Amino acid sequence: MKKTFLRQAALAAMLATTALAPAVSAHAEAAAKGGNIIVTFKDDIATLDPAIGYDWQNWSMINAMFSRLVDYTPGTTELKPSLAESFEVTSDGKTYTFKLHKGVKFTNGREVTAADVKYSIERAVNPKTQGPGAGFFHSIVGADAMTAGKAETMEGIVVVDDHTVQFNLVQPDATFLNVLALNFSSVVPKEAVEAVGGDFGKHPVGSGAFILKDWTVGQSLTFERNPDHFIKERPLIDGYKVEIGQEPLVALLRLQKGEVDIAGDGIPPAKFLEMKKSPDFAGMIVDRQQMQTGYVTLNTQIKPFDDARVRQAVNMAINKDRVVRIINGRAEPANQVLPPLMPGYDKDYKGYAFDPAKAKKLLAEAGLKDGFTTTLYTSNTDPQPRIAQAIQQDLAAIGVKAEIKALANPNVIAAGGTKGEAAMIWSGGMGWIADFPDPSDFYGPILACGSAVPGGWNWSWYCNPDMEKRAQAADAMPLPAKEKERLETWSKIFTEIQEKDAPWIPVFNERRVVAKSKRMGGPDEIYIDPTRVIDYEAISVKP
């Protein structure tokens, strides 16, 4: 399915004209509308700004509040129309022209125009925004100049008229349509952004399925249906409330009593087997594979991790099988950045074997025979602190003393995006889940030079100019003609990064497990959606 989708997306770049017809899933046609639901999370939401928010917790909420030129059919990786009515692509794949639906309105009442599309993407790329998505737009003419702070606009985005916007690319980009479906491409009104003076993440205005009605920081967020949403079959529910500060085990007890509909933090490993075996929880557990890698970032700008031998040594120190046992086997040990479900995954690459003796030898070669002291950041939600402790013990066995800092997710994200602050981060709970099914998504936002910036998600602060050139060349390969060669190129990029530079310790590829109440309707895939995490637009309440 993933490879077929890649071909379909790439073929669009070869067509002279492509029209997008509205798509409605069978679920949307059959499901009952109405009802309100309750979702719980332990940690508060960091932001609802689509140019900044980039964690699994806020991604779904942002996605449901804003609209983009193209989007995905719920529960799938198939592109479908959204703000775009149709689009044209030149034969060289370097110019995309989109026609917008007329009459689509922001929730402040103003019509969405092509100028809003240009403004929104430029805002996402502008370094002043300090958002993590700038690297996705590198193929647009003028993006690099803006990223470098040398331009305030991108000449490659042209407003033809109020309902026509054109993108000129420096080279063909096999993932460009996928990029336009990301939250970072969400369209926002300039006047609403400027009116709140940098606090748009708390006062969002979009044209999506839901509106934020109330946000009491540290307590709850309340979302209501947008009555003017231009996709009339969406959403199915009237609204949802997110309750903050709920311990996962307490949330599960409340869910069992019918007080909660979705336990947002999932099922803690300690409770998983009990729930799976109990008939009381039949139909309440969603357990699906995902394109995910949980990893430890090693900050290449902080000593002694600026030495590749040190990074290789700590890779050899971690007993990944033991870590997987901590989460009751809900994952497979990882040996590379790409997850097994991702096209381009190298089945023959073995990675670093668990070898403490060799790790000690490498540290000695790096002048650290007595080890060193460092800090390991982690989320404070179970089981992440316990996994961090297991990693801490493994590191101690080779002489590395790691102090654990267990913080709320937004604080971990902030530390990772601050240069020189976090030497090591266990990404558990925030491990990388594919934005779209293409290997480039595991490079651009988390390993590329353009993401090693304040507010970015390249927490290893890794930047290899040679890899940058190879990555850009891979994305310029025409599809489907060079699909095999392109995937082989990406495969080599990732294995060479790990083998030579080791900016990560890939730990495991985890299945996602969600608990939902028995009154929740819709197929499992919309509760573990491949592009939205939870698809709030598509979920429903049973009559």
Side-chain angles (χ1 to χ4, degrees), residues 342-357:
M342 178 64 75
Y345 175 81
D346 189 343
K347 296 178 181 178
D348 298 323
Y349 180 65
K350 303 302 181 185
Y352 295 95
F354 175 52
D355 193 340

Side-chain angles (χ1 to χ4, degrees), residues 21-261:
V24 183
S25 70
H27 170 60
E29 294 172 343
K33 284 192 174 185
N36 290 273
I37 68 170
I38 294 177
V39 184
T40 63
F41 288 102
K42 179 182 178 184
D43 294 331
D44 208 347
I45 307 301
T47 179
L48 291 174
D49 188 333
I52 298 173
Y54 203 20
D55 63 70
W56 67 272
Q57 192 174 333
N58 64 14
W59 188 258
S60 305
M61 301 174 202
I62 291 171
N63 188 276
M65 293 181 62
F66 296 90
S67 301
R68 295 149 290 280
L69 289 173
V70 292
D71 216 325
Y72 294 99
T73 299
T76 77
T77 54
E78 298 171 3
L79 282 170
K80 69 178 183 67
S82 190
L83 286 175
E85 183 178 74
S86 63
F87 68 92
E88 296 179 353
V89 187
T90 53
S91 58
D92 62 2
K94 293 172 65 175
T95 301
Y96 287 68
T97 304
F98 291 85
K99 289 284 187 180
L100 275 64
H101 284 289
K102 294 180 180 179
V104 178
K105 293 184 178 181
F106 291 115
T107 54
N108 65 3
R110 181 171 69 75
E111 186 177 13
V112 178
T113 69
D116 296 312
V117 176
K118 177 177 171 65
Y119 165 76
S120 301
I121 293 178
E122 288 178 341
R123 178 173 176 265
V125 174
N126 196 320
K128 293 178 182 177
T129 305
Q130 293 195 11
F136 281 113
F137 302 96
H138 67 87
S139 61
I140 302 175
V141 173
D144 290 343
M146 177 170 271
T147 301
K150 297 178 181 178
E152 288 296 319
T153 62
M154 291 160 60
E155 58 184 291
I157 307 178
V158 180
V159 176
V160 180
D161 58 45
D162 280 352
H163 297 96
T164 310
V165 62
Q166 185 179 89
F167 295 86
N168 297 303
L169 311 185
V170 295
Q171 63 180 31
D173 185 347
T175 66
F176 188 61
L177 289 177
N178 303 86
V179 169
L180 294 182
L182 289 173
N183 280 2
F184 301 118
S185 298
S186 297
V187 183
V188 302
K190 181 178 180 180
E191 69 275 15
V193 174
E194 294 180 344
V196 291
D199 202 22
F200 187 68
K202 290 289 192 295
H203 302 89
V205 176
S207 57
F210 290 98
I211 303 169
L212 177 67
K213 297 300 292 184
D214 178 72
W215 185 347
T216 304
V217 175
Q219 296 183 33
S220 65
L221 299 90
T222 302
F223 298 87
E224 292 183 359
R225 173 200 297 272
N226 176 5
D228 298 319
H229 187 39
F230 67 102
I231 302 175
K232 298 305 178 186
E233 69 272 9
R234 291 282 185 260
L236 298 176
I237 55 174
D238 292 330
Y240 65 100
K241 183 177 183 179
V242 178
E243 296 185 355
I244 302 299
Q246 199 91 124
E247 288 292 337
L249 286 174
V250 176
L252 290 175
L253 289 173
R254 292 186 62 207
L255 185 141
Q256 194 172 8
K257 294 177 181 178
E259 299 172 359
V260 167
D261 293 297

Side-chain angles (χ1 to χ4, degrees), residues 180-452:
L180 294 182
L182 289 173
N183 280 2
F184 301 118
S185 298
S186 297
V187 183
V188 302
K190 181 178 180 180
E191 69 275 15
V193 174
E194 294 180 344
V196 291
D199 202 22
F200 187 68
K202 290 289 192 295
H203 302 89
V205 176
S207 57
F210 290 98
I211 303 169
L212 177 67
K213 297 300 292 184
D214 178 72
W215 185 347
T216 304
V217 175
Q219 296 183 33
S220 65
L221 299 90
T222 302
F223 298 87
E224 292 183 359
R225 173 200 297 272
N226 176 5
D228 298 319
H229 187 39
F230 67 102
I231 302 175
K232 298 305 178 186
E233 69 272 9
R234 291 282 185 260
L236 298 176
I237 55 174
D238 292 330
Y240 65 100
K241 183 177 183 179
V242 178
E243 296 185 355
I244 302 299
Q246 199 91 124
E247 288 292 337
L249 286 174
V250 176
L252 290 175
L253 289 173
R254 292 186 62 207
L255 185 141
Q256 194 172 8
K257 294 177 181 178
E259 299 172 359
V260 167
D261 293 297
I262 300 176
D265 291 309
I267 303 172
K271 190 77 173 173
F272 176 64
L273 292 179
E274 175 191 335
M275 288 182 62
K276 200 165 186 179
K277 294 176 181 177
S278 172
D280 294 340
F281 288 97
M284 299 174 69
I285 300 173
V286 182
D287 184 348
R288 291 173 60 83
Q289 283 187 300
Q290 55 184 351
M291 289 183 281
Q292 185 269 6
T293 302
Y295 52 92
V296 176
T297 53
L298 307 172
N299 195 317
T300 59
Q301 305 298 312
I302 295 179
K303 289 184 178 298
F305 293 118
D306 58 342
D307 189 325
R309 293 170 296 182
V310 175
R311 301 194 297 269
Q312 292 165 349
V314 295
N315 262 275
M316 297 174 189
I318 307 306
N319 185 340
K320 299 172 185 178
D321 290 323
R322 181 164 72 117
V323 174
V324 169
R325 287 196 294 271
I326 292 174
I327 60 170
N328 286 327
R330 291 188 337 204
E332 295 294 332
N335 58 26
Q336 58 192 281
V337 172
L338 289 184
L341 291 179
M342 178 64 75
Y345 175 81
D346 189 343
K347 296 178 181 178
D348 298 323
Y349 180 65
K350 303 302 181 185
Y352 295 95
F354 175 52
D355 193 340
K358 191 172 181 181
K360 286 182 179 180
K361 184 178 178 181
L362 263 180
L363 286 182
E365 290 176 8
L368 296 166
K369 66 181 181 65
D370 296 323
F372 60 93
T373 300
T374 188
T375 304
L376 174 63
Y377 285 73
T378 181
S379 166
N380 60 8
T381 301
D382 187 70
Q384 312 315 331
R386 291 191 289 125
I387 292 175
Q389 288 167 3
I391 294 171
Q392 179 188 50
Q393 291 166 10
D394 288 341
L395 293 174
I398 65 167
V400 177
K401 300 177 181 63
E403 175 193 357
I404 293 176
K405 285 193 174 183
L407 307 171
N409 288 345
N411 300 108
V412 177
I413 294 168
T418 302
K419 189 173 184 179
E421 182 165 338
M424 302 178 73
I425 299 177
W426 160 237
S427 70
M430 297 174 289
W432 197 254
I433 304 172
D435 298 300
F436 49 84
D438 189 88
S440 66
D441 184 50
F442 273 73
Y443 179 79
I446 45 181
L447 288 168
C449 297
S451 299

